[in-house]
């Protein structure tokens, strides 16, 4: 695509404070349609968002044009989640114009504008849930900052996952209606509309030259409409694009039913179609929920591939050139149906032979694995696939047939290996293994931490590693310092910049220059003031939202992540109960505030019971006068990006305590250490690499390692032995079992007790309990030595250079995608 010969002259909105002030006033009146006298904080937010957005648009359009003119190879990042958080402050910072915007907003204060309220009006975009989605958002930020021609593709969820409320200690799910007032950052593209098919049947026929062909007919169709979302890089002219798909009915209204008076049936098809993009991760404990999940995955994959191929067609190149122009990254198994879909498009629609199409597919795709737990690897019943995506089932069977033929040649007379590697799990009721489809259909497969990648090779994907020893590679995760330090913790960012300059924002390895400042008493004192101010701010929020008064001078011990048994929030609770019992018994201890945050999947009963237990323990501990503020416990509801930006800068201790060998990487551990928290962790995920970067003396490592976990399982783990041998553990567990924290329903937590004892304690909490308590005792003792703690906190920040998502994206670009990073000048 060539740049037009002559474009009309643009206004080029300026970034000085006075120009921004005028724009704000004009946008309020001419775009929002409100008089400054009656304008609300929300009106001013939308005016401010319009001003920020219009200053990104020209860069955005120039970026998109440059990719065509320069004939850049594109990277397409397919993800079910993009946990973006709020966009306005992030965009101001990335345009290096935050001060100018703040001055402009302040100057309008006489009109009723309250600058401090404006940013808080913006809701978090409900486009993700946990680490998977936040990683995707960090990667988009890094691709834009580094000048990688990257696009994100996902779903425009109308309600997200859910808004978490806590009622009587229990999680209650409410719709997250984040689009209630519209989204000022998105651009609807009603002209970008693709048909997505479901159900139907497959007709096989022979073409004139005898080639067998297939046609997918009698389908139920849904339309995918695009919404574009600009992604600005930091201090660069690059603004990349995230394209999200909303489901639209192929037929809005059935007049026949309406005229018959059946008004509900008249719009039923429309409602059924548009349910596809209503919520993230519908409850899959029902058949209907499972079908909806599969449809969601195919819906966004099909629309995205059609869009990519439409863009590729403009090059007028043959499909053999597709891998030289397109790299598609599958973020976990959710989009892995893309392998079969691209084969369907090439073979059925463009009539390539299988032998032509398959090498194209395998040179285009790469797959990121995010879990080591076999039960978490996504599989679908063959019967469900046959009903919803019948042609894709045929294609998967053919892929499997050809793949197993190669496996049989490599491993003759070894049917156990054939069964393990097959795309179809015959032992579990015939299910399609989506991870296997992604591996077979990709040129690279990557883990997200060094330990995780090695365990992939040694355990769950060992057979594939033996067959293709160079396919599985490591790409240790990272986080963007623009969001997680510059935006989340501006006072610390300013302190760092004052001492080492601002190059660290694009080169996080510059943080190593802070190492000698750990011995500088004046720097440590300023560092301590920043941390205490952040803790005071969090304490005020905890009091306001929960009615709990906490001491900013206590150690803030934080565990914020999805609630899951393998993440072992229960181990943390056992420590809280142990500490509570010690204090009641007259022992002394460092004052401690324990903070939890995280959502449980709606159908995950044990995780929801853990949340209730945390809140019941908090009710007892926080209202016990004998504690005298020495121990407080708070569960902050609705953990999201904005709450993370509040909690992370205030944390002293970062709980990363999953069973060794279960956490793929973790990124919360990186964000917390980047903000000066010391890690309390097992040798799991990226904790291993954090230890290497900050030094063993600056981290609290405890518990079994992966080899010891495996050995214990082989020899036979007996949780009752640990229960009987440790009086403090026994006391804590008995209190849970006997209803100490819920006297009105004493059997409420017996399932928790049973799970940890007679149930086998699958995640080895009891085996790690004593080591965890000892490590917590060391942390409490160290915190009393203020200067020693501060030195270690500074050294943790200094050691975080490796964990920038810029480094991760640079490795993807070189090793997997084969693309160049070319940042655009401003």
């Amino acid at each position: 695509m060539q740049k037009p010969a002559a474009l009309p002259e643009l206004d080029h909105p300026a970034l000085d404070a006075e120009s921004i002030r005028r724009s704000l006033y004009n946008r309020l009146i001419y775009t929002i349609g409100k008089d400054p006298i009656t304008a609300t904080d929300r009106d001013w937010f939308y005016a401010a968002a319009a001003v920020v957005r219009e200053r990104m648009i020209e860069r955005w359009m120039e970026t998109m044009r440059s990719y065509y003119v320069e004939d850049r190879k594109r990277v397409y990042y397919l993800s079910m989640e993009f946990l973006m958080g709020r966009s306005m402050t992030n965009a101001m910072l990335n345009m290096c114009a935050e001060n100018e915007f703040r001055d402009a907003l302040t100057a309008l204060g006489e009109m009723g504008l309250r600058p401090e309220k404006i940013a808080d009006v913006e809701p978090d975009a409900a486009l993700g849930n946990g680490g998977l989605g936040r990683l995707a958002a960090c990667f988009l930020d890094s691709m834009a900052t580094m000048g990688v021609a990257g696009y994100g593709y996902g779903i425009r969820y109308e309600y997200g996952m859910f808004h978490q409320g806590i009622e009587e200690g229990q999680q209650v799910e409410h719709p997250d209606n984040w689009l209630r007032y519209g989204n000022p950052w998105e651009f609807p593209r009603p002209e970008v509309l693709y048909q997505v098919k479901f159900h139907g049947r497959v007709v096989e026929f022979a073409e004139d030259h005898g080639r067998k062909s297939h046609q997918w007919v009698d389908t139920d169709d849904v339309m995918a409409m695009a919404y574009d979302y600009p992604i600005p890089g930091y201090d660069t002219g690059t603004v990349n694009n995230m394209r999200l798909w909303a489901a639209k009915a192929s037929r809005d209204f059935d007049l026949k039913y309406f005229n018959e008076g059946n008004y509900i049936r008249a719009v039923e098809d429309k409602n059924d179609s548009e349910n596809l993009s209503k919520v993230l991760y519908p409850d899959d404990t029902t058949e209907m929920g499972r079908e909806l999940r599969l449809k969601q995955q195919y819906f966004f994959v099909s629309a995205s591939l059609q869009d990519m191929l439409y863009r590729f067609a403009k090059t007028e190149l043959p499909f053999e050139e597709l891998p030289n122009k397109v790299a598609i990254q599958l973020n976990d198994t959710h989009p892995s149906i893309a392998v079969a879909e691209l084969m369907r498009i090439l073979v059925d629609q463009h009539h390539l032979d299988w032998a032509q199409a398959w090498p194209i597919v395998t040179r285009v795709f790469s797959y990121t694995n995010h879990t080591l737990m076999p039960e978490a690897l996504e599989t679908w019943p063959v019967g469900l696939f046959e009903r919803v995506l019948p042609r894709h089932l045929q294609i998967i069977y053919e892929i499997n047939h050809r793949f197993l033929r190669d496996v049989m040649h490599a491993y003759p007379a070894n049917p156990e290996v054939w069964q393990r590697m097959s795309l179809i799990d015959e032992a579990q009721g015939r299910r399609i293994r989506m991870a296997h489809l992604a591996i077979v259909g990709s040129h690279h497969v990557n883990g997200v931490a060094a330990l995780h990648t090695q365990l992939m090779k040694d355990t769950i994907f060992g057979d594939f590693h033996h067959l293709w020893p160079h396919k599985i590679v490591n790409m240790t995760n990272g986080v963007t310092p623009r969001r997680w330090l510059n935006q989340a913790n501006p006072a610390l960012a300013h302190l760092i910049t004052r001492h080492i300059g601002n190059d660290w924002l694009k080169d996080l390895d510059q943080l190593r220059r802070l190492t000698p400042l750990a011995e500088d008493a004046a720097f440590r004192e300023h560092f301590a003031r920043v941390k205490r101010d952040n803790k005071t701010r969090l304490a005020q929020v905890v009091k306001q939202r929960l009615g709990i008064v906490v001491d900013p001078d206590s150690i803030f011990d934080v565990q914020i992540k999805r609630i899951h048994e393998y993440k072992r929030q229960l181990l943390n609770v056992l420590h809280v109960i142990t500490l509570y019992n010690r204090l009641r018994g007259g022992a002394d201890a460092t004052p401690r505030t324990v903070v939890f945050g995280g959502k449980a999947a709606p159908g995950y009963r044990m995780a929801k019971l853990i949340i209730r237990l945390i809140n019941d323990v908090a009710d007892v501990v926080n209202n016990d006068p004998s504690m005298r503020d020495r121990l407080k416990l708070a569960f902050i509801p609705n953990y999201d990006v904005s709450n993370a930006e509040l909690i992370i800068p205030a944390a002293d201790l970062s709980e990363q305590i999953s069973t060794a060998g279960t956490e793929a990487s973790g990124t919360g551990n990186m964000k917390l250490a980047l903000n000066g928290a010391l890690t309390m962790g097992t040798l799991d995920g990226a904790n291993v690499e954090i230890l290497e970067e900050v030094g063993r003396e600056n981290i609290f490592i405890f518990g079994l390692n992966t080899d010891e976990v495996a050995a214990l399982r082989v020899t036979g783990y007996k949780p009752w032995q640990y229960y009987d041998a440790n009086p403090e553990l026994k006391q804590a567990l008995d209190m849970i079992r006997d209803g100490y924290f819920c006297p009105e329903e004493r059997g409420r937590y017996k399932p928790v007790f049973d799970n940890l004892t007679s149930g086998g304690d699958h995640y080895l909490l009891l085996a790690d309990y004593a080591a965890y308590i000892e490590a917590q005792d060391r942390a409490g003792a160290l915190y009393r030595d203020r200067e020693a703690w501060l030195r270690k906190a500074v050294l943790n920040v200094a050691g975080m250079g490796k964990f920038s998502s810029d480094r991760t994206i640079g490795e993807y670009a070189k090793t997997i995608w084969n693309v160049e990073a070319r940042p655009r000048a401003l």
Side-chain angles (χ1 to χ4, degrees), residues 493-638:
H494 294 156
L495 176 63
I496 292 169
T497 297
R498 190 156 65 248
H499 284 81
I500 66 171
N502 66 0
D503 287 349
W504 63 271
L505 282 158
K506 286 188 173 182
D507 177 11
L508 203 60
D509 285 331
Q510 294 289 324
L511 293 183
R512 279 291 180 198
R513 294 168 58 196
L514 294 174
T515 299
L517 293 172
E519 299 303 322
D520 184 321
F523 181 86
R524 289 199 308 270
E525 186 58 35
H526 200 154
F527 186 95
R529 286 202 301 272
V530 168
K531 177 65 74 173
R532 195 183 190 284
D533 288 345
N534 291 329
K535 293 171 72 174
T536 300
R537 182 178 59 154
L538 177 59
Q540 290 168 347
V541 170
V542 168
K543 181 180 179 182
Q544 177 187 350
R545 295 184 189 174
L546 305 178
I548 301 171
V549 177
V550 301
D551 180 7
D553 291 321
S554 65
I555 182 171
F556 276 25
D557 183 353
V558 170
Q559 189 172 17
I560 40 175
K561 53 185 73 238
R562 179 166 53 96
I563 308 298
H564 196 289
E565 289 166 273
Y566 87 85
K567 294 179 183 289
R568 302 204 298 189
Q569 283 90 354
L570 271 176
L571 183 58
N572 195 346
V573 173
L574 287 172
H575 170 247
V576 171
I577 297 172
T578 299
L579 191 54
Y580 173 66
N581 288 333
R582 288 179 177 179
L583 291 169
R584 283 195 309 146
D588 188 25
T590 303
R592 186 180 297 248
T593 297
V594 181
V595 176
F596 285 93
K599 295 179 180 179
Y604 192 173
R605 294 181 62 187
M606 181 55 71
K608 295 175 82 168
L609 192 61
I610 290 169
I611 290 175
R612 192 172 191 185
L613 175 61
I614 292 168
N615 283 295
D616 277 348
V617 172
D619 186 56
V620 170
V621 170
N622 296 340
N623 290 291
D624 188 332
S626 71
M627 292 299 100
R628 301 195 308 277
D629 293 332
R630 293 176 296 171
L631 178 62
K632 289 292 179 74
L633 176 58
F635 185 97
I636 297 178
N638 202 48

Side-chain angles (χ1 to χ4, degrees), residues 596-719:
F596 285 93
K599 295 179 180 179
Y604 192 173
R605 294 181 62 187
M606 181 55 71
K608 295 175 82 168
L609 192 61
I610 290 169
I611 290 175
R612 192 172 191 185
L613 175 61
I614 292 168
N615 283 295
D616 277 348
V617 172
D619 186 56
V620 170
V621 170
N622 296 340
N623 290 291
D624 188 332
S626 71
M627 292 299 100
R628 301 195 308 277
D629 293 332
R630 293 176 296 171
L631 178 62
K632 289 292 179 74
L633 176 58
F635 185 97
I636 297 178
N638 202 48
Y639 181 63
D640 57 11
V641 174
S642 292
N643 279 324
E645 291 171 0
L646 173 71
I647 298 168
I648 287 171
D652 293 308
L653 196 60
S654 163
E655 298 282 345
Q656 311 297 330
I657 58 177
S658 52
T659 313
T662 60
E663 186 73 82
S665 169
T667 53
N669 46 6
M670 303 170 189
K671 296 162 194 165
L672 285 153
L674 181 63
N675 282 270
L678 275 60
T679 300
M680 171 70 63
T682 52
L683 286 172
D684 196 27
N687 292 351
V688 177
E689 290 162 83
I690 291 175
L691 180 150
E692 293 168 354
E693 296 299 313
V694 305
R696 182 173 289 273
E697 66 279 10
N698 299 312
I699 189 171
F700 299 100
I701 294 296
F702 73 93
L704 303 172
N705 62 32
T706 53
D707 290 340
E708 291 166 340
V709 166
L712 183 59
R713 294 195 192 282
V714 167
T715 57
Y717 174 50
K718 299 178 177 61

Side-chain angles (χ1 to χ4, degrees), residues 343-465:
M343 280 299 293
R344 185 189 72 81
I345 293 171
L346 295 177
V347 172
D348 291 0
Q349 295 182 3
H350 295 280
H351 308 291
L352 272 68
D353 291 333
W354 190 282
Q356 289 177 280
W358 183 244
I360 295 171
V361 169
T362 56
R363 290 171 57 210
V364 163
F365 287 110
S366 49
Y367 157 57
T368 301
N369 171 267
H370 286 280
T371 183
L372 288 165
M373 295 185 288
E375 65 272 19
L377 293 173
E378 194 169 47
T379 64
W380 294 107
V382 164
L384 176 61
F385 240 87
E386 191 170 33
R387 184 171 71 253
V388 176
L389 299 171
R391 177 59 181 140
H392 297 77
L393 180 62
Q394 292 179 344
I395 291 170
I396 290 170
Y397 279 157
E398 182 65 19
I399 293 171
N400 196 41
H401 170 72
R402 292 168 183 256
F403 167 62
L404 286 181
R405 188 173 58 200
D406 293 340
V407 172
M408 290 173 187
H409 290 155
Y411 304 103
N414 197 338
E416 289 186 2
V417 173
W418 309 343
Q419 290 171 7
R420 289 199 304 265
M421 298 185 75
S422 173
L423 274 59
I424 310 298
D425 183 353
E426 304 284 355
Q428 304 295 325
R430 303 200 72 227
R431 301 179 69 88
I432 301 171
R433 296 162 164 158
M434 302 307 286
H436 290 202
L437 175 62
I439 293 171
V440 172
S442 296
H443 56 89
H444 280 90
V445 175
N446 72 277
V448 291
L451 175 63
H452 169 232
T453 303
Q454 190 58 50
L455 290 172
M456 285 170 60
K457 295 176 181 179
D458 294 343
T459 59
I460 54 172
F461 300 137
D463 294 322
F464 291 97
H465 178 57

Side-chain angles (χ1 to χ4, degrees), residues 283-313:
D283 185 358
D284 62 356
T285 58
T286 66
E287 181 66 25
M288 186 178 298
R290 285 189 289 274
E291 179 170 328
L292 181 55
R293 277 206 187 194
L294 177 59
K295 283 183 171 180
Q296 280 187 333
Q297 293 177 8
Y298 177 67
F299 164 76
F300 101 89
V301 159
S302 174
S304 301
L305 284 173
Q306 290 181 70
D307 198 46
M308 295 174 208
L309 293 178
Y310 170 79
R311 195 173 292 118
F312 174 74

